[in-house]
Amino acid sequence: MKSIFNFIEAIISRPSGQRRLIMLSLDYVIIFISFILALYITKDSFFNLEYTDYTWMITLFIFLPFPIYYFTGQYRGIIRYLTGRSYYEIIGRNSLLIFLVIIYGYTLNNKIIPFQTLFISWLIINSLSGLSRLVIRDLIDLSNRKGVSTKTNVSIYGSETLGVQLIEAVQLTKYYNIKYIIEHEPSLVGRKIKGIPIISQLDFLNLLDNDIRQLWICIESLDNKVLDNILPYISKNKIELIKMPSLLDLVSFRSSKDFLKTIAIEDLLERDLVDADPKLLGKEVMNINILVTGAGGSIGMEICRQLIKQSAKKIILFERNEFSLYSIFNELLKFDLANIEIVPILGCATNKNLLKDIIKKYNINTIFHSAAYKHVPLVESNPLQGIYNNVFSTLCICLVSRELGINKVILISTDKAVRPTNVMGASKRLAELIFQYYSFKKDEEINTHESPSETVFSMVRFGNVLGSSGSVVPLFKEQIRNGGPITLTHSDVIRYFMTIEEAAQLVVQASSMARGGEIFLLDMGKPVKIYDLAIQMIQLSGLQVKDKDNPYGEIEIVYTGLRPGEKLFEELLTDNNPEKTNHPRIFKSIESNYVPDDFYDQLIILRNGIENLDTKLALLTLQKLVPEWKRSNTRIN
C-alpha cells in the first residue's frame, strides 16, 4: 500500500499537462480493452467477418477519443472532487464516441455495423472509466490523510440537509472523523448516510466509547429537554458542543467567520424561550406616539426595535448618554421605517420641564420608563446619585403623565426590588411604590391641580437579562476569551435569566394588558446556578475547568465574596399570588403594600437629603419608605 501511495503522490506532484496526458492514456487503454472484451463476448457473431470488416472501427477508436474528450472538458475536472454529475458527463462523451462510429459506418463506408459489439463496448467503457476515476479519487484521498494521526472524532445531531452537507464536506478533509449521526426520528435510526450509522439519542448516551470530542448541532433549534438530557453526558466526557451555521449563513456572512460556532448560551436556559403573542405586541403601540426613556440602554434599545416592528407612529428616544443615543438612533435608521418617525432627544428624565415640553410637542400617548442605574456595586458606591436617578426620574414621569393625561406609563423594574438588600434594589422598589401610589390616589392627594386623568400606571418586573450591560454572561465570555480566571462572588448564587428580546416583548405586551397598578412578570422557569452556568460556558468553549481534581485544565474559577448588597438568590414576587393573563407565560400581581399617609412628604425629605449631600438622611428616609429593605451591607455614615 505504501508503494501505491508513493506512486499516487508522484503523479499528483507532476505538472497538470502531464497529469492530463496520463489520464488520456488511461482512457485509450480502457477503450481498447473494452473493444477487445466486446469482440470476445460476441465472437460467435463475428468469427465470419473479414479482418477488414472492423479495422475501420479500430482506426476510429484511435483518432476520435482525443478531440471528443479534450474539447468537451473530460480533463478539466479535478478527480478528487468528482460528483455524480461528472460520471453522467463521461457517459455522454462515450455515447457521442459510439454514435460517431455508427454514423461513419453508415454514411461513408457502408459497412456492416456490429451493434451488439458497440453496445457492449459502450457499457464496458462507461464502467471502467467511472470505476477508474473512483479508485483514483479514493487513493488520492487516502494518500492525503495517511499522515494524519490526530483526527478529531465528532458526532452530528440531525440528518437534515445541513448534516448531509457537512458529512460530504468533512469527508474531503483530513481533520475530522464523523462516527455517528444522532437522530430523533425513529424511522431513520439504524440506517446509514454516506456510510455513517444513524443512532438514537438514547444510543448516544449509552455509548461505551467516549472518544468523541465534539457534537455538532445541525438543526435550526434544539429542544431544551433534549439539551437537558445530553448536557450531563457531554460534560462528563468533556465533549464540545458546537452549533453549525448553515451554508446559506456562511455565504451571506450571517454567521461568524469561524466555521465552528460555539452554541449560544441562550440555548442553555432552564426553559424554552417564551414566544410573544402578535396580537398583544401590536395592540397598544401601532400608530401611536411613544416616549422611551433610557432608550440607549440594553432594554431600552430592544424596546425601540420591537416598537418599529409593531409599526409605532412616532418613537421618541430619550437618553442622557450622548454616545448611547447616537448608537441606537443610527441603528434604527437602518430599519424599514416606512411612516415611522424617530426623534433622538438628549436629556435626563429627572428634568420635569423638559419632559413636559417633549410630551406636548410630540403628542405622546404612551411612555416606557426604562431609564435607571442598574449596576448594584456602582449604585452601592454612589447611593445618592443612584437614588436620585431611579426614584426622582420615576416621580417626574408620574407627575407629568398625570398632569398631561398620558394614556399609559410602563415602568421597567427588576427582581432586585423584591425584599431588596442593596440601594439599587431599594430605589427600584420605591419607584414601584411611586407607580402604585399614582395608580390608586386621587389627583388632589398627590399635589396636582389638574382635572383627574385616566392614566394607567403599570410595572414590568424581570430577572437578569442575557447580553445586557449588567449581565454576568458577557463578563464570563470575556474572561474565558482572555484565558481566565472566571470570578464568582459565591458558589451558591442563583439567578433567573431571560433574553433581551423576551424582556422587551414582555414590556410591550404588558402595555396591552395594563389596567393600572399591576406588576407583570414572565414565567422564568427554574433559576440558574451561576456556578453551573460558568462550568457550562467553559465546557462549551471546548475548554476544561482548572481545579484540584483537574490541575491541567485551562480556566480557573476564583471566588471573590459577595459584593455589598448582593443576595444569593432573587425573587420575582413579594406575595405568592400571581394571576393569569391573556398570555399563558405572563402573570400579573397587585401586591399589597403599606404606603404611609405622608408618602409624598417623605419623598420631599429624601430629595432634600440628596440635594444637601446628606447620605445618612437619604438612606434613613429610603429605609422608612421601603421598610423591607435589609441594609445590612450598606453603610450609613
Side-chain angles (χ1 to χ4, degrees), residues 68-103:
I68 291 175
Y69 290 165
Y70 185 82
F71 291 108
T72 58
Q74 177 103 330
Y75 307 109
R76 294 174 190 168
I78 301 174
I79 290 182
R80 186 183 177 191
Y81 302 109
L82 287 181
T83 62
R85 180 179 177 179
S86 303
Y87 297 127
Y88 288 122
E89 290 174 349
I90 290 172
I91 292 173
R93 297 183 186 104
N94 292 331
S95 300
L96 177 61
L97 173 63
I98 299 299
F99 177 74
L100 291 178
V101 170
I102 293 173
I103 293 298

Side-chain angles (χ1 to χ4, degrees), residues 30 34 37-38 41 119-129:
I30 289 173
S34 302
L37 286 174
I41 293 170
F119 177 72
I120 294 175
S121 297
W122 177 79
L123 289 177
I124 298 174
I125 291 172
N126 289 329
S127 300
L128 293 180
S129 296

Side-chain angles (χ1 to χ4, degrees), residues 163-362:
V164 176
Q165 291 171 335
L166 274 174
I167 293 170
E168 292 177 340
V170 169
Q171 287 182 336
L172 293 175
T173 73
K174 54 186 177 181
Y175 302 109
Y176 297 99
N177 175 41
I178 301 176
K179 297 199 68 174
Y180 305 104
I181 301 168
I182 306 166
E183 183 53 63
H184 62 275
E185 178 58 48
S187 62
L188 297 177
V189 174
R191 304 174 70 179
K192 291 185 177 182
I193 296 178
K194 302 289 183 179
I196 301 171
I198 301 176
I199 64 175
S200 67
Q201 178 187 321
L202 182 61
D203 292 335
F204 175 71
L205 298 179
N206 293 330
L207 286 176
L208 296 178
D209 58 329
N210 59 353
D211 61 342
I212 297 172
R213 299 273 58 87
Q214 293 178 351
L215 176 60
W216 296 353
I217 306 300
C218 296
I219 55 180
E220 284 295 322
S221 59
L222 192 59
D223 190 282
N224 282 285
K225 293 180 180 178
V226 174
L227 273 175
D228 289 341
N229 290 333
I230 66 177
L231 275 176
Y233 179 82
I234 67 173
S235 298
K236 175 183 176 182
N237 292 287
K238 297 181 176 60
I239 299 174
E240 185 180 2
L241 190 63
I242 302 293
K243 189 173 185 179
M244 306 303 294
S246 69
L247 296 185
L248 179 60
D249 286 341
L250 287 173
V251 299
S252 60
F253 300 100
R254 289 200 294 264
S255 176
S256 63
K257 292 181 180 179
D258 296 327
F259 182 58
L260 300 180
K261 185 178 73 172
T262 302
I263 195 166
I265 198 65
E266 288 89 338
D267 293 332
L268 301 180
L269 287 174
E270 292 292 329
R271 57 176 173 79
D272 292 329
L273 298 182
V274 176
D275 294 327
D277 185 337
K279 295 180 181 178
L280 291 176
L281 271 180
K283 183 178 179 181
E284 292 290 331
V285 300
M286 186 178 296
N287 295 322
I288 67 170
N289 301 334
I290 300 173
L291 170 66
V292 180
T293 70
S298 303
I299 302 300
M301 294 173 72
E302 185 61 32
I303 290 174
C304 294
R305 298 184 190 108
Q306 294 294 328
L307 294 176
I308 287 180
K309 293 178 182 178
Q310 302 307 320
S311 302
K313 182 179 180 181
K314 189 179 298 182
I315 304 174
I316 310 303
L317 313 177
F318 195 44
E319 173 61 54
R320 69 186 302 174
N321 184 288
E322 181 186 23
F323 179 74
S324 297
L325 181 62
Y326 169 82
S327 298
I328 183 59
F329 178 60
N330 279 277
E331 178 189 331
L332 296 182
L333 290 179
K334 298 175 183 178
F335 281 73
D336 182 11
L337 297 178
N339 297 320
I340 303 175
E341 182 180 356
I342 308 293
V343 181
I345 295 181
L346 195 62
C348 182
T350 57
N351 189 328
K352 181 180 176 182
N353 292 330
L354 178 59
L355 280 172
K356 290 176 67 174
D357 182 68
I358 294 170
I359 292 171
K360 290 178 180 179
K361 182 176 180 180
Y362 296 104

Side-chain angles (χ1 to χ4, degrees), residues 235-497:
S235 298
K236 175 183 176 182
N237 292 287
K238 297 181 176 60
I239 299 174
E240 185 180 2
L241 190 63
I242 302 293
K243 189 173 185 179
M244 306 303 294
S246 69
L247 296 185
L248 179 60
D249 286 341
L250 287 173
V251 299
S252 60
F253 300 100
R254 289 200 294 264
S255 176
S256 63
K257 292 181 180 179
D258 296 327
F259 182 58
L260 300 180
K261 185 178 73 172
T262 302
I263 195 166
I265 198 65
E266 288 89 338
D267 293 332
L268 301 180
L269 287 174
E270 292 292 329
R271 57 176 173 79
D272 292 329
L273 298 182
V274 176
D275 294 327
D277 185 337
K279 295 180 181 178
L280 291 176
L281 271 180
K283 183 178 179 181
E284 292 290 331
V285 300
M286 186 178 296
N287 295 322
I288 67 170
N289 301 334
I290 300 173
L291 170 66
V292 180
T293 70
S298 303
I299 302 300
M301 294 173 72
E302 185 61 32
I303 290 174
C304 294
R305 298 184 190 108
Q306 294 294 328
L307 294 176
I308 287 180
K309 293 178 182 178
Q310 302 307 320
S311 302
K313 182 179 180 181
K314 189 179 298 182
I315 304 174
I316 310 303
L317 313 177
F318 195 44
E319 173 61 54
R320 69 186 302 174
N321 184 288
E322 181 186 23
F323 179 74
S324 297
L325 181 62
Y326 169 82
S327 298
I328 183 59
F329 178 60
N330 279 277
E331 178 189 331
L332 296 182
L333 290 179
K334 298 175 183 178
F335 281 73
D336 182 11
L337 297 178
N339 297 320
I340 303 175
E341 182 180 356
I342 308 293
V343 181
I345 295 181
L346 195 62
C348 182
T350 57
N351 189 328
K352 181 180 176 182
N353 292 330
L354 178 59
L355 280 172
K356 290 176 67 174
D357 182 68
I358 294 170
I359 292 171
K360 290 178 180 179
K361 182 176 180 180
Y362 296 104
N363 192 26
I364 300 299
N365 305 109
T366 298
I367 298 176
F368 292 106
H369 181 37
S370 175
Y373 290 144
K374 304 181 180 74
H375 197 274
V376 171
L378 286 180
V379 174
E380 205 70 17
S381 301
N382 302 272
L384 296 183
Q385 286 302 313
I387 297 169
Y388 183 74
N389 187 64
N390 293 355
V391 173
F392 291 99
S393 65
T394 304
L395 182 61
C396 282
I397 290 288
C398 291
L399 283 169
V400 173
S401 298
R402 285 293 293 261
E403 182 177 337
L404 300 181
I406 296 297
N407 182 31
K408 286 187 177 181
V409 187
I410 308 297
L411 171 69
I412 285 73
S413 189
T414 169
D415 57 359
K416 293 174 179 60
V418 180
R419 285 182 269 273
T421 59
N422 50 66
V423 175
M424 193 281 284
S427 66
K428 292 298 290 183
R429 178 58 182 156
L430 182 52
E432 291 181 351
L433 293 174
I434 291 172
F435 257 61
Q436 291 181 326
Y437 178 73
Y438 275 81
S439 295
F440 302 120
K441 295 291 184 179
K442 295 181 181 179
D443 285 271
E444 58 269 18
E445 294 179 287
I446 54 177
N447 297 344
T448 66
H449 302 289
E450 303 292 331
S451 58
S453 72
E454 298 297 326
T455 303
V456 172
F457 296 94
S458 291
M459 296 145 279
V460 178
R461 188 189 285 165
F462 43 74
N464 293 267
V465 177
L466 292 169
S468 67
S469 57
S471 172
V472 71
V473 173
L475 173 63
F476 284 178
K477 285 184 176 179
E478 182 66 24
Q479 290 175 337
I480 292 172
R481 190 179 300 115
N482 294 333
I486 281 183
T487 54
L488 285 183
T489 58
H490 196 283
S491 60
D492 295 328
V493 171
I494 61 174
R495 293 289 184 265
Y496 290 99
F497 283 99

Side-chain angles (χ1 to χ4, degrees), residues 10-26:
I11 294 178
I12 294 175
S13 63
R14 292 182 177 275
S16 60
Q18 294 184 18
R19 294 199 301 270
R20 290 175 181 175
L21 183 60
I22 292 172
M23 290 306 301
L24 176 63
S25 301
L26 175 62

